[in-house]
Amino acid sequence: IKELIMKKNYENSLREIIKEYKLKPKKKLGQNFLHDKNIISSIVNKANIEDEDIIEIGPGPGILTESILNNKARSLLAIEKDDSFEVNLQKIRSNYGDNFDYLISDVIDFDFKKLTKKNYKFVSNLPYNISVPFILKLIKIRNIIPWKEMILMVQKEVAERITANISTKNYGRLSIMVNLNNDVEKLLNVKPSSFIPRPKVDSTVIKISPKNKKININTEVFERIVKTCFSQRRKKVKNNLDQLNINTISLLELSNIDPDIRAENIDIEGFIRISRNYEELIKENYEDF
Ligand code: SAM
């Protein structure tokens, strides 16, 4: 009963914030607000917030934000696109003082070079429409901002694509790009009833942490190879790679890949070999001219 009352209190407080600030959840900004106290505490516990520098994407009404601050984050920077949350964020800043700040900005366009600290942990109930571009952006810019970990709520289907095993229908570009230099773990599944308004889909909280050793590879070439290999999933890898106007058969032979298999049956090491050999072939061809 105590649990139920506490859960109800959280739901009320979110409803009160929505009412007080006359917030109308905007679908196009993925505004499904978390009210479930148990889920909020699980996210914050699993993120090990204490003494960490945290960035939260999309604080919205700020319930997760306050929970992060109550769990003794060293600092918290919130990045929110929708300025209708600004009054609420200002209130949080006046309550919590110097270790909280916020920016009104679109995180997809945000220039992370501006940030001075390193080793941030990202914690976010991400808006569905930007979850994939956000994750790919952060993976790309880790040399600019060497973040420590990301604890993210994403659509269940996105979590499944990121954690997919080779030779399954979800295995593809996203799984490969994320797993190249990171470990990914599913932490918990979240039902639509944990949000106001309820989304149509289930969600999953995932943890993405960089591997100790970064693979030495030209990531632009690697990305291009993976994209080309998956351009038509049902086609043989040889046929997809023919678009690159190189000797595909020798590229695949050098890389120890059967030209008749599909991209979904090639593991990350296989893509690494194709990508490195492709770079070599291109260099050799230039030298011939
Ligand atoms: N953190 C709140 C929670 O857990 O209830 C809100 C999460 S809601 C799923 C997503 C939040 O991200 C919204 O506040 C939305 O306005 C914000 N948002 C949407 N697109 C954004 C973007 N491109 N950059 C920054 N914030 C964005």
Side-chain angles (χ1 to χ4, degrees), residues 210-264:
K211 288 186 173 138
N212 291 336
K213 212 168 156 240
K214 194 169 174 274
I215 305 267
N216 181 17
I217 197 161
N218 180 332
T219 39
E220 265 166 43
V221 173
F222 181 80
E223 195 171 5
R224 197 154 133 228
I225 289 292
V226 174
K227 191 175 168 194
T228 312
C229 289
F230 278 98
S231 54
Q232 293 199 50
R233 264 191 98 90
R234 311 299 300 163
K235 270 195 179 177
K236 292 174 183 172
V237 62
K238 178 202 162 301
N239 296 340
N240 280 332
L241 280 173
D242 278 343
Q243 298 169 51
L244 295 177
N245 290 329
I246 40 148
N247 186 338
T248 314
I249 291 291
S250 64
L251 171 63
L252 290 171
E253 217 167 62
L254 271 174
S255 315
N256 203 15
I257 301 284
D258 175 352
D260 292 330
I261 61 172
R262 295 190 183 128
E264 65 193 31

CSV table of all heavy atoms in Angstrom, one decimal, residues 210-264:
chain,number,residue,atom,x,y,z
A,210,PRO,N,31.8,2.5,-23.6
A,210,PRO,CA,32.9,2.2,-24.5
A,210,PRO,C,33.8,1.1,-24.1
A,210,PRO,O,34.1,0.9,-22.9
A,210,PRO,CB,33.7,3.6,-24.4
A,210,PRO,CG,32.8,4.5,-23.8
A,210,PRO,CD,31.8,3.8,-22.9
A,211,LYS,N,34.3,0.3,-25.1
A,211,LYS,CA,35.2,-0.8,-24.8
A,211,LYS,C,36.5,-0.2,-24.3
A,211,LYS,O,36.8,0.9,-24.7
A,211,LYS,CB,35.4,-1.7,-26.0
A,211,LYS,CG,34.2,-2.5,-26.4
A,211,LYS,CD,34.4,-3.4,-27.5
A,211,LYS,CE,33.3,-4.4,-27.7
A,211,LYS,NZ,32.8,-4.6,-29.1
A,212,ASN,N,37.3,-1.0,-23.6
A,212,ASN,CA,38.6,-0.5,-23.1
A,212,ASN,C,39.5,-0.1,-24.3
A,212,ASN,O,40.2,0.9,-24.3
A,212,ASN,CB,39.3,-1.5,-22.2
A,212,ASN,CG,38.6,-1.7,-20.9
A,212,ASN,OD1,37.8,-0.7,-20.5
A,212,ASN,ND2,38.7,-2.8,-20.3
A,213,LYS,N,39.5,-1.0,-25.3
A,213,LYS,CA,40.4,-0.8,-26.4
A,213,LYS,C,39.6,-0.4,-27.7
A,213,LYS,O,38.7,-1.1,-28.1
A,213,LYS,CB,41.2,-2.1,-26.7
A,213,LYS,CG,42.6,-1.8,-27.2
A,213,LYS,CD,43.5,-3.0,-27.2
A,213,LYS,CE,44.5,-2.8,-28.2
A,213,LYS,NZ,44.6,-3.7,-29.2
A,214,LYS,N,40.0,0.8,-28.2
A,214,LYS,CA,39.3,1.3,-29.4
A,214,LYS,C,39.9,0.6,-30.7
A,214,LYS,O,41.1,0.5,-30.8
A,214,LYS,CB,39.4,2.8,-29.5
A,214,LYS,CG,38.5,3.5,-30.4
A,214,LYS,CD,38.6,5.0,-30.2
A,214,LYS,CE,37.8,5.8,-31.2
A,214,LYS,NZ,38.5,6.0,-32.5
A,215,ILE,N,39.0,0.2,-31.6
A,215,ILE,CA,39.5,-0.4,-32.8
A,215,ILE,C,40.1,0.7,-33.7
A,215,ILE,O,39.5,1.7,-33.9
A,215,ILE,CB,38.4,-1.1,-33.6
A,215,ILE,CG1,37.6,-2.1,-32.8
A,215,ILE,CG2,38.8,-1.6,-35.0
A,215,ILE,CD1,38.1,-3.5,-32.9
A,216,ASN,N,41.3,0.4,-34.2
A,216,ASN,CA,42.0,1.4,-35.1
A,216,ASN,C,41.5,1.2,-36.5
A,216,ASN,O,41.9,0.3,-37.2
A,216,ASN,CB,43.5,1.1,-35.0
A,216,ASN,CG,44.3,2.1,-35.8
A,216,ASN,OD1,43.8,3.1,-36.2
A,216,ASN,ND2,45.5,1.7,-36.1
A,217,ILE,N,40.5,2.1,-36.9
A,217,ILE,CA,39.9,2.0,-38.2
A,217,ILE,C,39.4,3.3,-38.6
A,217,ILE,O,39.1,4.2,-37.8
A,217,ILE,CB,38.8,0.9,-38.2
A,217,ILE,CG1,38.4,0.5,-39.6
A,217,ILE,CG2,37.5,1.4,-37.4
A,217,ILE,CD1,37.7,-0.8,-39.7
A,218,ASN,N,39.4,3.5,-40.0
A,218,ASN,CA,38.8,4.7,-40.5
A,218,ASN,C,37.3,4.6,-40.4
A,218,ASN,O,36.7,3.8,-41.2
A,218,ASN,CB,39.3,4.9,-41.9
A,218,ASN,CG,38.7,6.2,-42.6
A,218,ASN,OD1,37.6,6.6,-42.2
A,218,ASN,ND2,39.5,6.7,-43.5
A,219,THR,N,36.7,5.2,-39.4
A,219,THR,CA,35.2,5.0,-39.2
A,219,THR,C,34.3,5.4,-40.3
A,219,THR,O,33.3,4.8,-40.6
A,219,THR,CB,34.7,5.6,-37.9
A,219,THR,OG1,35.3,6.8,-37.7
A,219,THR,CG2,35.0,4.7,-36.7
A,220,GLU,N,34.8,6.4,-41.1
A,220,GLU,CA,34.0,6.9,-42.2
A,220,GLU,C,33.9,5.8,-43.3
A,220,GLU,O,32.9,5.5,-43.9
A,220,GLU,CB,34.5,8.1,-42.8
A,220,GLU,CG,33.9,9.4,-42.3
A,220,GLU,CD,34.6,10.6,-42.6
A,220,GLU,OE1,35.1,10.8,-43.7
A,220,GLU,OE2,34.7,11.5,-41.7
A,221,VAL,N,35.1,5.2,-43.6
A,221,VAL,CA,35.1,4.1,-44.6
A,221,VAL,C,34.3,2.9,-44.1
A,221,VAL,O,33.5,2.3,-44.8
A,221,VAL,CB,36.6,3.7,-44.9
A,221,VAL,CG1,36.7,2.5,-45.8
A,221,VAL,CG2,37.4,4.8,-45.5
A,222,PHE,N,34.5,2.6,-42.8
A,222,PHE,CA,33.8,1.5,-42.2
A,222,PHE,C,32.3,1.7,-42.3
A,222,PHE,O,31.6,0.8,-42.8
A,222,PHE,CB,34.2,1.3,-40.7
A,222,PHE,CG,33.6,0.2,-40.0
A,222,PHE,CD1,34.1,-1.1,-40.1
A,222,PHE,CD2,32.5,0.4,-39.2
A,222,PHE,CE1,33.5,-2.2,-39.5
A,222,PHE,CE2,31.8,-0.7,-38.5
A,222,PHE,CZ,32.4,-1.9,-38.7
A,223,GLU,N,31.8,2.9,-42.0
A,223,GLU,CA,30.4,3.2,-42.1
A,223,GLU,C,29.9,3.0,-43.5
A,223,GLU,O,28.8,2.5,-43.8
A,223,GLU,CB,30.1,4.6,-41.5
A,223,GLU,CG,28.7,4.8,-41.2
A,223,GLU,CD,28.4,6.1,-40.5
A,223,GLU,OE1,29.4,6.9,-40.3
A,223,GLU,OE2,27.2,6.3,-40.1
A,224,ARG,N,30.7,3.5,-44.5
A,224,ARG,CA,30.3,3.4,-45.9
A,224,ARG,C,30.2,1.9,-46.3
A,224,ARG,O,29.3,1.6,-47.0
A,224,ARG,CB,31.3,4.2,-46.7
A,224,ARG,CG,30.8,4.5,-48.1
A,224,ARG,CD,31.5,5.7,-48.6
A,224,ARG,NE,31.8,5.3,-50.0
A,224,ARG,CZ,33.0,5.5,-50.5
A,224,ARG,NH1,34.0,6.1,-49.8
A,224,ARG,NH2,33.3,5.2,-51.8
A,225,ILE,N,31.2,1.1,-45.9
A,225,ILE,CA,31.2,-0.3,-46.3
A,225,ILE,C,29.9,-1.0,-45.7
A,225,ILE,O,29.2,-1.7,-46.4
A,225,ILE,CB,32.5,-1.0,-45.8
A,225,ILE,CG1,33.6,-0.5,-46.6
A,225,ILE,CG2,32.3,-2.5,-45.8
A,225,ILE,CD1,33.6,-1.0,-48.1
A,226,VAL,N,29.7,-0.7,-44.4
A,226,VAL,CA,28.5,-1.4,-43.7
A,226,VAL,C,27.2,-0.9,-44.4
A,226,VAL,O,26.4,-1.8,-44.8
A,226,VAL,CB,28.5,-1.0,-42.2
A,226,VAL,CG1,27.2,-1.6,-41.6
A,226,VAL,CG2,29.7,-1.6,-41.5
A,227,LYS,N,27.1,0.3,-44.7
A,227,LYS,CA,25.9,0.9,-45.4
A,227,LYS,C,25.7,0.2,-46.7
A,227,LYS,O,24.6,-0.2,-47.1
A,227,LYS,CB,26.0,2.4,-45.5
A,227,LYS,CG,24.8,3.1,-45.9
A,227,LYS,CD,25.0,4.6,-45.9
A,227,LYS,CE,23.8,5.3,-46.6
A,227,LYS,NZ,24.1,6.6,-47.0
A,228,THR,N,26.8,0.1,-47.5
A,228,THR,CA,26.7,-0.4,-48.8
A,228,THR,C,26.3,-1.9,-48.7
A,228,THR,O,25.5,-2.4,-49.5
A,228,THR,CB,28.0,-0.3,-49.6
A,228,THR,OG1,28.5,1.1,-49.4
A,228,THR,CG2,27.9,-0.6,-51.0
A,229,CYS,N,27.0,-2.6,-47.8
A,229,CYS,CA,26.7,-4.1,-47.7
A,229,CYS,C,25.2,-4.4,-47.4
A,229,CYS,O,24.6,-5.4,-47.7
A,229,CYS,CB,27.6,-4.7,-46.7
A,229,CYS,SG,29.3,-4.8,-47.2
A,230,PHE,N,24.6,-3.4,-46.6
A,230,PHE,CA,23.2,-3.6,-46.2
A,230,PHE,C,22.2,-2.9,-47.1
A,230,PHE,O,21.0,-2.8,-46.8
A,230,PHE,CB,23.0,-3.2,-44.7
A,230,PHE,CG,23.4,-4.2,-43.7
A,230,PHE,CD1,24.6,-4.1,-43.1
A,230,PHE,CD2,22.5,-5.2,-43.4
A,230,PHE,CE1,25.0,-5.1,-42.1
A,230,PHE,CE2,22.9,-6.2,-42.4
A,230,PHE,CZ,24.1,-6.1,-41.8
A,231,SER,N,22.7,-2.3,-48.2
A,231,SER,CA,21.8,-1.4,-49.0
A,231,SER,C,20.6,-2.2,-49.5
A,231,SER,O,19.5,-1.7,-49.5
A,231,SER,CB,22.5,-0.7,-50.1
A,231,SER,OG,23.2,-1.6,-50.9
A,232,GLN,N,20.8,-3.5,-49.8
A,232,GLN,CA,19.6,-4.3,-50.1
A,232,GLN,C,19.8,-5.6,-49.3
A,232,GLN,O,20.5,-6.5,-49.7
A,232,GLN,CB,19.5,-4.5,-51.6
A,232,GLN,CG,19.1,-3.2,-52.3
A,232,GLN,CD,18.5,-3.5,-53.7
A,232,GLN,OE1,17.6,-4.3,-53.9
A,232,GLN,NE2,19.1,-2.9,-54.7
A,233,ARG,N,19.1,-5.7,-48.2
A,233,ARG,CA,19.3,-6.8,-47.2
A,233,ARG,C,19.3,-8.2,-47.8
A,233,ARG,O,20.0,-9.1,-47.5
A,233,ARG,CB,18.3,-6.7,-46.1
A,233,ARG,CG,18.6,-6.0,-44.9
A,233,ARG,CD,17.6,-6.3,-43.8
A,233,ARG,NE,18.0,-7.3,-42.9
A,233,ARG,CZ,18.8,-7.1,-41.8
A,233,ARG,NH1,19.1,-5.9,-41.5
A,233,ARG,NH2,19.1,-8.1,-41.1
A,234,ARG,N,18.3,-8.4,-48.8
A,234,ARG,CA,18.1,-9.7,-49.3
A,234,ARG,C,19.2,-10.1,-50.4
A,234,ARG,O,19.3,-11.2,-50.8
A,234,ARG,CB,16.7,-9.8,-50.0
A,234,ARG,CG,15.6,-9.4,-49.1
A,234,ARG,CD,15.5,-10.1,-47.8
A,234,ARG,NE,15.3,-11.5,-47.9
A,234,ARG,CZ,15.5,-12.4,-47.0
A,234,ARG,NH1,15.9,-12.0,-45.8
A,234,ARG,NH2,15.2,-13.7,-47.2
A,235,LYS,N,19.9,-9.1,-50.9
A,235,LYS,CA,20.9,-9.4,-51.9
A,235,LYS,C,22.2,-9.9,-51.3
A,235,LYS,O,22.5,-9.7,-50.2
A,235,LYS,CB,21.3,-8.0,-52.6
A,235,LYS,CG,20.5,-7.7,-53.8
A,235,LYS,CD,21.2,-6.6,-54.6
A,235,LYS,CE,20.5,-6.2,-55.8
A,235,LYS,NZ,21.2,-5.1,-56.4
A,236,LYS,N,23.0,-10.7,-52.2
A,236,LYS,CA,24.3,-11.2,-51.7
A,236,LYS,C,25.2,-10.0,-51.5
A,236,LYS,O,25.1,-9.0,-52.3
A,236,LYS,CB,24.9,-12.1,-52.9
A,236,LYS,CG,24.1,-13.3,-53.1
A,236,LYS,CD,24.7,-14.1,-54.3
A,236,LYS,CE,23.9,-15.3,-54.5
A,236,LYS,NZ,24.3,-16.0,-55.8
A,237,VAL,N,26.1,-10.2,-50.6
A,237,VAL,CA,27.0,-9.0,-50.3
A,237,VAL,C,27.8,-8.6,-51.5
A,237,VAL,O,28.1,-7.4,-51.7
A,237,VAL,CB,27.9,-9.4,-49.1
A,237,VAL,CG1,28.8,-10.6,-49.4
A,237,VAL,CG2,28.8,-8.2,-48.7
A,238,LYS,N,28.2,-9.6,-52.4
A,238,LYS,CA,28.9,-9.3,-53.6
A,238,LYS,C,28.2,-8.2,-54.4
A,238,LYS,O,28.7,-7.2,-54.9
A,238,LYS,CB,29.2,-10.6,-54.4
A,238,LYS,CG,29.9,-10.4,-55.7
A,238,LYS,CD,29.6,-11.5,-56.6
A,238,LYS,CE,30.0,-11.1,-58.0
A,238,LYS,NZ,29.2,-10.0,-58.6
A,239,ASN,N,26.9,-8.5,-54.6
A,239,ASN,CA,26.1,-7.6,-55.5
A,239,ASN,C,25.9,-6.2,-54.9
A,239,ASN,O,26.0,-5.2,-55.6
A,239,ASN,CB,24.7,-8.2,-55.8
A,239,ASN,CG,24.8,-9.5,-56.5
A,239,ASN,OD1,25.9,-9.8,-57.2
A,239,ASN,ND2,23.8,-10.4,-56.5
A,240,ASN,N,25.8,-6.1,-53.6
A,240,ASN,CA,25.7,-4.8,-53.0
A,240,ASN,C,27.0,-4.0,-53.1
A,240,ASN,O,27.0,-2.8,-53.4
A,240,ASN,CB,25.3,-4.9,-51.5
A,240,ASN,CG,23.8,-5.1,-51.3
A,240,ASN,OD1,23.0,-4.7,-52.2
A,240,ASN,ND2,23.4,-5.8,-50.2
A,241,LEU,N,28.1,-4.7,-52.9
A,241,LEU,CA,29.4,-4.1,-53.0
A,241,LEU,C,29.8,-3.7,-54.4
A,241,LEU,O,30.6,-2.8,-54.6
A,241,LEU,CB,30.5,-5.0,-52.4
A,241,LEU,CG,30.6,-5.0,-50.9
A,241,LEU,CD1,31.6,-6.0,-50.4
A,241,LEU,CD2,31.0,-3.6,-50.3
A,242,ASP,N,29.2,-4.3,-55.4
A,242,ASP,CA,29.5,-3.9,-56.8
A,242,ASP,C,29.2,-2.4,-57.1
A,242,ASP,O,29.8,-1.8,-58.0
A,242,ASP,CB,28.6,-4.7,-57.8
A,242,ASP,CG,29.2,-6.1,-58.0
A,242,ASP,OD1,30.4,-6.3,-57.7
A,242,ASP,OD2,28.5,-7.0,-58.5
A,243,GLN,N,28.4,-1.8,-56.3
A,243,GLN,CA,28.1,-0.3,-56.4
A,243,GLN,C,29.4,0.5,-56.3
A,243,GLN,O,29.5,1.6,-56.7
A,243,GLN,CB,27.2,0.2,-55.3
A,243,GLN,CG,25.8,-0.4,-55.3
A,243,GLN,CD,25.2,0.0,-53.9
A,243,GLN,OE1,25.1,1.2,-53.6
A,243,GLN,NE2,24.6,-1.0,-53.2
A,244,LEU,N,30.4,-0.1,-55.6
A,244,LEU,CA,31.6,0.7,-55.3
A,244,LEU,C,32.6,0.8,-56.4
A,244,LEU,O,33.6,1.4,-56.4
A,244,LEU,CB,32.3,0.2,-54.1
A,244,LEU,CG,31.6,0.3,-52.7
A,244,LEU,CD1,32.4,-0.4,-51.6
A,244,LEU,CD2,31.3,1.7,-52.4
A,245,ASN,N,32.2,0.1,-57.5
A,245,ASN,CA,33.1,0.0,-58.7
A,245,ASN,C,34.5,-0.4,-58.4
A,245,ASN,O,35.5,0.3,-58.8
A,245,ASN,CB,33.2,1.4,-59.4
A,245,ASN,CG,31.8,1.7,-60.0
A,245,ASN,OD1,31.1,0.8,-60.5
A,245,ASN,ND2,31.5,3.0,-60.0
A,246,ILE,N,34.7,-1.4,-57.7
A,246,ILE,CA,36.0,-2.0,-57.4
A,246,ILE,C,35.9,-3.5,-57.8
A,246,ILE,O,34.8,-4.0,-58.0
A,246,ILE,CB,36.4,-1.8,-56.0
A,246,ILE,CG1,35.2,-2.1,-55.0
A,246,ILE,CG2,37.1,-0.5,-55.7
A,246,ILE,CD1,35.6,-2.7,-53.8
A,247,ASN,N,37.0,-4.2,-57.7
A,247,ASN,CA,37.0,-5.6,-57.9
A,247,ASN,C,36.5,-6.3,-56.7
A,247,ASN,O,37.2,-6.7,-55.7
A,247,ASN,CB,38.4,-6.1,-58.3
A,247,ASN,CG,38.4,-7.6,-58.7
A,247,ASN,OD1,37.4,-8.3,-58.3
A,247,ASN,ND2,39.4,-8.0,-59.4
A,248,THR,N,35.2,-6.5,-56.6
A,248,THR,CA,34.5,-7.0,-55.4
A,248,THR,C,34.9,-8.4,-55.0
A,248,THR,O,35.1,-8.7,-53.9
A,248,THR,CB,33.0,-7.0,-55.7
A,248,THR,OG1,32.6,-5.8,-56.3
A,248,THR,CG2,32.2,-7.2,-54.4
A,249,ILE,N,35.1,-9.2,-56.1
A,249,ILE,CA,35.5,-10.6,-55.7
A,249,ILE,C,36.8,-10.6,-55.0
A,249,ILE,O,37.0,-11.3,-54.0
A,249,ILE,CB,35.5,-11.5,-57.0
A,249,ILE,CG1,34.1,-11.7,-57.6
A,249,ILE,CG2,36.2,-12.8,-56.8
A,249,ILE,CD1,33.2,-12.5,-56.7
A,250,SER,N,37.8,-9.9,-55.5
A,250,SER,CA,39.1,-9.9,-54.9
A,250,SER,C,39.1,-9.3,-53.5
A,250,SER,O,39.7,-9.7,-52.5
A,250,SER,CB,40.3,-9.4,-55.7
A,250,SER,OG,40.1,-8.1,-56.0
A,251,LEU,N,38.2,-8.2,-53.4
A,251,LEU,CA,38.1,-7.6,-52.0
A,251,LEU,C,37.6,-8.6,-51.0
A,251,LEU,O,38.1,-8.7,-49.9
A,251,LEU,CB,37.1,-6.4,-52.1
A,251,LEU,CG,36.7,-5.8,-50.8
A,251,LEU,CD1,37.9,-5.2,-50.0
A,251,LEU,CD2,35.6,-4.6,-51.0
A,252,LEU,N,36.5,-9.4,-51.4
A,252,LEU,CA,35.9,-10.3,-50.5
A,252,LEU,C,36.9,-11.5,-50.3
A,252,LEU,O,36.9,-12.0,-49.1
A,252,LEU,CB,34.6,-10.8,-51.0
A,252,LEU,CG,33.5,-9.7,-51.0
A,252,LEU,CD1,32.2,-10.1,-51.7
A,252,LEU,CD2,33.2,-9.3,-49.5
A,253,GLU,N,37.6,-11.9,-51.3
A,253,GLU,CA,38.5,-13.0,-51.1
A,253,GLU,C,39.6,-12.6,-50.1
A,253,GLU,O,39.9,-13.3,-49.2
A,253,GLU,CB,39.2,-13.3,-52.5
A,253,GLU,CG,39.4,-14.8,-52.7
A,253,GLU,CD,39.8,-15.0,-54.2
A,253,GLU,OE1,40.8,-14.5,-54.7
A,253,GLU,OE2,39.0,-15.7,-54.9
A,254,LEU,N,40.2,-11.4,-50.3
A,254,LEU,CA,41.2,-10.9,-49.4
A,254,LEU,C,40.7,-10.9,-48.0
A,254,LEU,O,41.4,-11.1,-47.0
A,254,LEU,CB,41.6,-9.5,-49.8
A,254,LEU,CG,42.7,-9.2,-50.8
A,254,LEU,CD1,42.7,-7.7,-51.1
A,254,LEU,CD2,44.0,-9.6,-50.2
A,255,SER,N,39.4,-10.6,-47.8
A,255,SER,CA,38.8,-10.4,-46.5
A,255,SER,C,38.3,-11.7,-46.0
A,255,SER,O,37.7,-11.7,-44.9
A,255,SER,CB,37.6,-9.4,-46.6
A,255,SER,OG,38.0,-8.3,-47.4
A,256,ASN,N,38.5,-12.8,-46.7
A,256,ASN,CA,38.0,-14.1,-46.2
A,256,ASN,C,36.5,-14.2,-46.0
A,256,ASN,O,36.0,-14.7,-45.0
A,256,ASN,CB,38.8,-14.4,-45.0
A,256,ASN,CG,38.8,-15.9,-44.7
A,256,ASN,OD1,38.5,-16.7,-45.7
A,256,ASN,ND2,39.2,-16.3,-43.5
A,257,ILE,N,35.7,-13.6,-47.0
A,257,ILE,CA,34.3,-13.6,-46.9
A,257,ILE,C,33.7,-14.2,-48.1
A,257,ILE,O,34.1,-13.9,-49.2
A,257,ILE,CB,33.7,-12.1,-46.8
A,257,ILE,CG1,34.3,-11.3,-45.6
A,257,ILE,CG2,32.2,-12.1,-46.8
A,257,ILE,CD1,33.7,-11.6,-44.3
A,258,ASP,N,32.8,-15.1,-47.9
A,258,ASP,CA,32.1,-15.8,-49.0
A,258,ASP,C,31.2,-14.8,-49.8
A,258,ASP,O,30.4,-14.2,-49.2
A,258,ASP,CB,31.3,-16.9,-48.4
A,258,ASP,CG,30.4,-17.7,-49.5
A,258,ASP,OD1,30.4,-17.2,-50.6
A,258,ASP,OD2,29.8,-18.7,-49.1
A,259,PRO,N,31.5,-14.5,-51.1
A,259,PRO,CA,30.8,-13.5,-51.8
A,259,PRO,C,29.3,-13.8,-51.9
A,259,PRO,O,28.5,-12.8,-52.2
A,259,PRO,CB,31.4,-13.5,-53.2
A,259,PRO,CG,32.2,-14.7,-53.3
A,259,PRO,CD,32.5,-15.2,-51.9
A,260,ASP,N,28.8,-15.0,-51.7
A,260,ASP,CA,27.4,-15.4,-51.9
A,260,ASP,C,26.6,-15.2,-50.6
A,260,ASP,O,25.4,-15.4,-50.6
A,260,ASP,CB,27.3,-16.8,-52.4
A,260,ASP,CG,27.8,-16.9,-53.8
A,260,ASP,OD1,27.7,-15.9,-54.5
A,260,ASP,OD2,28.4,-18.0,-54.2
A,261,ILE,N,27.2,-14.8,-49.5
A,261,ILE,CA,26.4,-14.7,-48.3
A,261,ILE,C,25.8,-13.3,-48.2
A,261,ILE,O,26.2,-12.4,-49.0
A,261,ILE,CB,27.2,-15.0,-47.0
A,261,ILE,CG1,28.4,-14.0,-46.8
A,261,ILE,CG2,27.6,-16.4,-46.9
A,261,ILE,CD1,29.1,-14.1,-45.4
A,262,ARG,N,24.8,-13.1,-47.3
A,262,ARG,CA,24.2,-11.8,-47.1
A,262,ARG,C,24.9,-11.0,-46.0
A,262,ARG,O,25.5,-11.7,-45.1
A,262,ARG,CB,22.8,-11.9,-46.8
A,262,ARG,CG,22.0,-12.5,-47.9
A,262,ARG,CD,20.5,-12.4,-47.5
A,262,ARG,NE,19.7,-13.1,-48.5
A,262,ARG,CZ,18.8,-14.0,-48.2
A,262,ARG,NH1,18.5,-14.4,-47.0
A,262,ARG,NH2,18.1,-14.6,-49.2
A,263,ALA,N,24.8,-9.7,-46.0
A,263,ALA,CA,25.5,-8.9,-45.0
A,263,ALA,C,25.1,-9.3,-43.6
A,263,ALA,O,25.9,-9.2,-42.7
A,263,ALA,CB,25.1,-7.4,-45.2
A,264,GLU,N,23.8,-9.7,-43.4
A,264,GLU,CA,23.4,-10.1,-42.0
A,264,GLU,C,24.2,-11.3,-41.5
A,264,GLU,O,24.1,-11.6,-40.3
A,264,GLU,CB,21.9,-10.3,-42.0
A,264,GLU,CG,21.4,-11.5,-42.8
A,264,GLU,CD,19.9,-11.6,-43.0
A,264,GLU,OE1,19.3,-10.5,-43.1
A,264,GLU,OE2,19.4,-12.7,-43.1
